[in-house]
Amino acid sequence: MSNSSEFRTCPDTGLHIDRPAEKLMKANAVAAVVFLLVGGVMGLGVGLTRWPEVHLLGAQNFYTTLTGHGINVLIFWIIFFEIAVLYFCSSTVLRCRLAMPKVAWGGFALMIVGALMNNFAVWKLNSAVMMTSYAPMPAHWSFYLGLILFAVGALVGCFIFLGTLVIAQKEKTYEGSIPLVAFGALTACIIAVFTIVSGALVLLPTFLWQLGLISTIDPGVYRLIWWAFGHSSQQINVCAHVSIWYLVGTIMFGARPLSEKVSRFAFLLYIAVLQVASAHHLLVDPGVSAEWKMFNTSYAMYLAVMASMVHGLTVPGAMEAAQRARGYNNGLFEWLRKAPWGNPTFSSTMISLFGFGFLGGITGVMMGTEQLNLIIHNTIYVPGHFHATVVLGTTMAFMGITYWLVPILFRRELILMPLCKLQPYIFGLGMTGVSLFMMGAGTMGIPRRHWDATFADTSMPYEFAASAMSLMSLNGLSVVLAGLGGAMFCLLIVGSLLFGKKLGENEKCSYPLIVDAVTDEQYDALHKTTKNTIPGTMVLYTVFLLAFALYYFINWKYLAETWGLS
Amino acid sequence: MTSITPTGKRIWWNEPIEKGELIWIGIIVIWGIVLTVMMPAWHLYGEQNLSTETYRTTPAMYQEKTQKMVDQYTIRTEGTRQFPVVAPPVGSDVYLIARLWDWWPILELKEGQTYRLHLNSMDWNHGFSLQPVNLNIQVLPGYEHVINVTPNKTGEYSIICNEYCGIGHHNMVGKIHVIK
């Protein structure tokens, strides 16, 4: 049975926080931010090298830095943070003690050791093989072992989460179904288990191959299984950051989901189809049939894309309905204008929502279309796309919720509030530029993971259009802006942990952390005045769909202009 | 009930969905169908569909076939490194080697004619990226990929590598000439 002395009640939010879980959340979140800082600095090095006029690093350093950048931010920062999210969504949201905290610490230790070992291999053992480490290009065995240890640690975190759900159900800490946010986290966890198993299937043989125990690794099969791991891990991110979007709707507006049924079904679609749709990474690979590619990217109907599109409608829709029920009911957009744009949690979330939808989502469908992939594959369009999904989408959602969690978990107020307000806009603007300019340059053919697209040392140089190179320069400028925003985030958070005004256990924060839930009466009153509670969201959504359709057919036109293939 | 409170005794799955939301979900589903149908439709009506013809091969076998073509159809050499320029007959099998860090040999093709272009890597993954038309295909060792290409315009095209392949990756540039 739960020991009540293990819990404290948050004076600001009323959340019931299990102390062992709290310590683990803090440790994972701090580790996450440290890896964000490390990986972010490397990202700055990458961006400054790909800025043609600056060309900061030498070739070897560039490839090493790029490898480190990818792994530290895409894997370590995000997964450490996700473990914290999983513990929050089980223990805190369900008011339940965390299952086996000591084992959870063991998992955390494994993740730290794995992350350090992998970084050491990249920097000191000649393993600049990029995050994807496509066999037969070899890395040092410790490169793979580091990732395996990290993955095992993350798997432990997943089972702690599942164990906590079981305890919560047995000890009846809640009634009815688990809350939507916990449900979203559960889908993230299920996909994470699939992901990590795929990772084991591909990294264990590769590790044994580097120890000399396996003679060859098939390069095609490696890519197939690696992407079951590599792409699925992005689906964990989507589930996690969509859960955070719903959470922010509740803490900022007291919103309830428009329809539990719709939102939960959309989450379920992710489990059903998304993580296996990683076949879209192999659309121009040899050895796979056209039918296989079409079926596996679309599952007959782009179900995963549809799931994200549903969340993209219901998250702002729920916010709008709540705001209207609170009285911000004038015109189409009063609900949005009167939203707390000065609150970094809210502004980060909105940038995450729009960046993920408009930039990341639309472009993801382009790349995931069998034939359109021919004019995109491995160009710098690809990192342009995933900086919109993973950085604007996931990282910004995580940053936003971190601003909210600092006073709750660490009992410290944020320092330098005006800078905290500014930070999401600087980072968001910079990263939007990074994403757009890379995609623009990619459309013109600029390759990804490439030290010198001017081909200065080549015997048969190719000269890209001057406009493509200008886009790379604009990308460089955007990287600097995003780097500034990222550095601000790390310094503001670490600064708040060290120097923020201390809050006593029962002392309230000087600013509100959660608003009261909108009541049934308020919703009923709104429904009496109007049949449509989300007209503003529908207008935004129409713009989104038109942009999507227009851009989609423009790409088919581009494709039609290239060489004939049959 | 918000997104962080349990559902309690509510039977949430029986609650009606607002009509507006349902209409939009309908639109989303229709768009999903459009996205899906475009791919098979392009196979029927479009002219850019990547062949999936693939064979297992080894570096030695592939080198031999390529060398044979080079010996037979070389018309001149080009560049500081004297790469052979090969002009194979229209419709024939054309072999291109991807290796650390070359595309070998240089090809000379005719506008509007179709060739069976073979792609294979002798070592690691490479990325066939034809510029400026921006046509991109993954090249793997051990997999001989045969694609039917029809150049649509005369000119000098470059093949750059866009799959990272080690320290010389950025210098891996090849060439295809397309003539009348």
Side-chain angles (χ1 to χ4, degrees):
Chain A
M1 291 302 292
S2 66
N3 179 352
S4 60
S5 67
E6 291 281 294
F7 284 91
R8 70 173 177 84
T9 303
C10 171
D12 292 291
T13 58
L15 288 167
H16 212 48
I17 300 171
D18 176 45
R19 289 179 198 274
E22 183 179 21
K23 288 198 186 93
L24 278 153
M25 285 187 259
K26 285 181 183 175
N28 278 283
V30 168
V33 172
V34 170
F35 282 103
L36 176 67
L37 180 64
V38 171
V41 170
M42 294 178 192
L44 193 61
V46 172
L48 290 176
T49 308
R50 297 224 56 172
W51 186 344
E53 291 83 6
V54 179
H55 211 222
L56 180 72
L57 301 172
Q60 186 57 62
N61 268 334
F62 169 76
Y63 292 125
T64 305
T65 307
L66 181 52
T67 304
H69 169 62
I71 296 174
N72 281 301
V73 283
L74 195 50
I75 300 182
F76 301 151
W77 138 250
I78 283 181
I79 294 184
F80 271 117
F81 200 89
E82 276 163 354
I83 297 294
V85 169
L86 286 184
Y87 294 164
F88 181 86
C89 288
S90 52
S91 169
T92 310
V93 169
L94 297 177
R95 311 168 78 90
C96 178
R97 67 187 168 90
L98 192 77
M100 302 185 287
K102 280 188 184 141
V103 178
W105 280 109
F108 176 74
L110 273 177
M111 287 167 73
I112 293 280
V113 171
L116 294 178
M117 182 186 287
N118 178 276
N119 267 295
F120 186 80
V122 169
W123 287 93
K124 295 286 171 198
L125 300 171
N126 200 22
S127 295
V129 292
M130 302 294 141
M131 193 185 85
T132 44
S133 58
Y134 290 135
M137 177 190 280
H140 191 267
W141 56 263
S142 58
F143 176 94
Y144 311 108
L145 184 62
L147 289 178
I148 291 167
L149 293 179
F150 182 84
V152 172
L155 192 60
V156 169
C158 290
F159 282 106
I160 298 289
F161 169 82
L162 294 173
T164 307
L165 291 193
V166 172
I167 293 174
Q169 198 188 34
K170 278 206 163 158
E171 298 182 354
K172 298 198 170 48
T173 65
Y174 65 93
E175 198 179 10
S177 306
I178 56 173
L180 181 62
V181 165
F183 187 86
L186 176 58
T187 59
C189 176
I190 292 170
I191 296 175
V193 173
F194 171 89
T195 302
I196 293 169
V197 170
S198 306
L201 282 177
V202 72
L203 290 173
L204 274 176
T206 318
F207 167 62
L208 296 175
W209 166 64
Q210 273 311 295
L211 289 181
L213 298 171
I214 288 179
S215 61
T216 52
I217 297 281
D218 184 282
V221 174
Y222 178 94
R223 281 173 56 81
L224 175 75
I225 305 177
W226 196 91
W227 280 112
F229 160 63
H231 194 81
S232 315
S233 62
Q234 306 319 310
Q235 309 328 320
I236 312 172
N237 304 345
V238 175
C239 290
H241 77 229
V242 172
S243 300
I244 288 175
W245 292 350
Y246 282 111
L247 174 63
V248 170
T250 292
I251 61 182
M252 288 288 148
F253 302 107
R256 64 175 62 165
L258 291 180
S259 159
E260 289 280 343
K261 190 159 48 176
V262 168
S263 296
R264 286 175 196 245
F265 184 69
F267 271 121
L268 268 182
L269 278 180
Y270 283 147
I271 302 188
V273 293
L274 232 177
Q275 75 276 25
V276 243
S278 49
H280 59 241
H281 291 268
L282 314 182
L283 291 177
V284 295
D285 270 35
V288 279
S289 74
E291 294 81 1
W292 185 88
K293 294 182 211 169
M294 282 188 280
F295 182 76
N296 284 288
T297 51
S298 71
Y299 283 102
M301 233 167 67
Y302 278 98
L303 295 169
V305 173
M306 282 163 44
S308 288
M309 287 173 74
V310 168
H311 290 305
L313 176 74
T314 60
V315 169
M319 291 176 181
E320 176 173 3
Q323 283 280 75
R324 286 182 185 278
R326 286 177 177 280
Y328 298 114
N329 202 7
N330 289 325
L332 280 174
F333 294 116
E334 192 194 17
W335 65 276
L336 196 57
R337 278 203 315 277
K338 296 276 170 69
W341 291 100
N343 183 315
T345 300
F346 176 74
S347 56
S348 298
T349 302
M350 289 315 267
I351 296 170
S352 163
L353 186 64
F354 281 91
F356 184 77
F358 276 86
L359 294 179
I362 292 177
T363 59
V365 169
M366 303 309 134
M367 305 194 307
T369 301
E370 192 208 349
Q371 295 92 343
L372 294 181
N373 191 258
L374 281 163
I375 53 171
I376 296 176
H377 182 76
N378 272 356
T379 64
I380 205 163
Y381 190 101
V382 178
H385 154 77
F386 68 67
H387 279 75
T389 55
V390 181
V391 189
L392 284 177
T394 306
T395 295
M396 287 223 65
F398 288 1
M399 285 177 166
I401 208 68
T402 303
Y403 283 115
W404 184 70
L405 286 173
V406 163
I408 293 175
L409 295 182
F410 294 89
R411 304 307 302 152
R412 295 260 194 185
E413 285 192 0
L414 294 170
I415 55 164
L416 304 170
M417 208 48 184
L419 290 181
C420 292
K421 289 179 179 181
L422 195 59
Q423 185 273 336
Y425 296 100
I426 294 182
F427 188 70
L429 185 67
M431 206 43 80
T432 300
V434 167
S435 176
L436 281 174
F437 295 131
M438 282 207 274
M439 289 194 284
T443 302
M444 298 170 134
I446 301 271
R448 70 185 292 198
R449 297 173 166 177
H450 199 282
W451 177 64
D452 182 18
T454 66
F455 303 102
D457 305 332
T458 311
S459 60
M460 290 186 282
Y462 172 69
E463 199 175 326
F464 275 108
S467 50
M469 300 317 275
S470 314
L471 286 172
M472 290 310 290
S473 305
L474 289 169
N475 174 56
L477 278 169
S478 307
V479 166
V480 173
L481 192 61
L484 177 69
M488 280 172 74
F489 173 78
C490 295
L491 294 177
L492 286 167
I493 295 302
V494 173
S496 297
L497 299 191
L498 296 176
F499 310 113
K501 186 185 151 227
K502 270 193 184 165
L503 295 167
E505 180 132 341
N506 294 310
E507 189 184 346
K508 278 196 162 204
C509 189
S510 63
Y511 48 92
L513 291 176
I514 192 165
V515 301
D516 292 332
V518 180
T519 60
D520 287 345
E521 292 72 36
Q522 285 173 308
Y523 275 118
D524 288 345
L526 175 67
H527 282 284
K528 274 190 194 122
T529 60
T530 174
K531 272 192 171 160
N532 181 4
T533 56
I534 56 167
T537 301
M538 288 184 176
V539 169
L540 292 174
Y541 211 76
T542 307
V543 173
F544 165 74
L545 276 179
L546 290 176
F548 194 161
L550 182 69
Y551 186 62
Y552 181 66
F553 289 110
I554 286 175
N555 271 287
W556 283 104
K557 187 180 165 288
Y558 283 147
L559 176 72
E561 288 164 4
T562 191
W563 286 14
L565 289 172
S566 56
Chain B
M1 189 190 90
T2 64
S3 64
I4 52 170
T5 40
T7 59
K9 292 203 168 110
R10 267 176 62 207
I11 313 294
W12 54 267
W13 57 87
N14 280 341
E15 286 169 5
I17 303 169
E18 237 182 73
K19 200 175 155 202
E21 201 182 349
L22 265 183
I23 292 171
W24 281 98
I25 292 172
I27 295 172
I28 291 170
V29 170
I30 292 168
W31 182 235
I33 294 172
V34 171
L35 296 179
T36 307
V37 168
M38 273 305 285
M39 295 187 288
W42 199 263
H43 275 278
L44 294 175
Y45 305 110
E47 285 174 0
Q48 291 78 19
N49 290 291
L50 185 63
S51 153
T52 56
E53 189 178 343
T54 308
Y55 304 94
R56 282 275 180 200
T57 189
T58 63
M61 275 161 60
Y62 195 75
Q63 174 76 45
E64 192 188 317
K65 286 197 272 190
T66 311
Q67 191 62 53
K68 207 170 142 199
M69 171 194 77
V70 169
D71 292 343
Q72 214 170 347
Y73 300 116
T74 295
I75 49 172
R76 60 174 188 274
T77 59
E78 210 175 281
T80 47
R81 293 171 60 204
Q82 299 289 305
F83 271 32
V85 179
V86 181
V90 168
S92 71
D93 288 282
V94 181
Y95 298 88
L96 184 66
I97 282 178
R99 65 185 178 211
L100 302 172
W101 287 284
D102 299 309
W103 297 97
W104 191 89
I106 296 172
L107 302 172
E108 188 171 288
L109 308 177
K110 290 208 164 105
E111 182 192 5
Q113 302 295 334
T114 301
Y115 298 83
R116 282 170 56 77
L117 176 64
H118 295 234
L119 297 173
N120 178 236
S121 163
M122 310 305 265
D123 32 63
W124 297 343
N125 275 245
H126 294 287
F128 174 92
S129 178
L130 188 71
Q131 301 300 337
V133 288
N134 198 18
L135 190 62
N136 305 285
I137 299 164
Q138 188 80 18
V139 184
L140 301 181
Y143 289 75
E144 185 172 341
H145 192 183
V146 191
I147 59 177
N148 302 298
V149 292
T150 315
N152 59 2
K153 225 174 138 192
T154 58
E156 191 183 300
Y157 295 84
S158 285
I159 312 164
I160 59 178
C161 181
N162 69 6
E163 183 59 79
Y164 172 69
C165 56
I167 189 65
H169 166 54
H170 44 271
N171 291 329
M172 182 169 166
V173 183
K175 216 178 253 186
I176 297 180
H177 296 287
V178 176
I179 58 169
K180 271 269 179 243

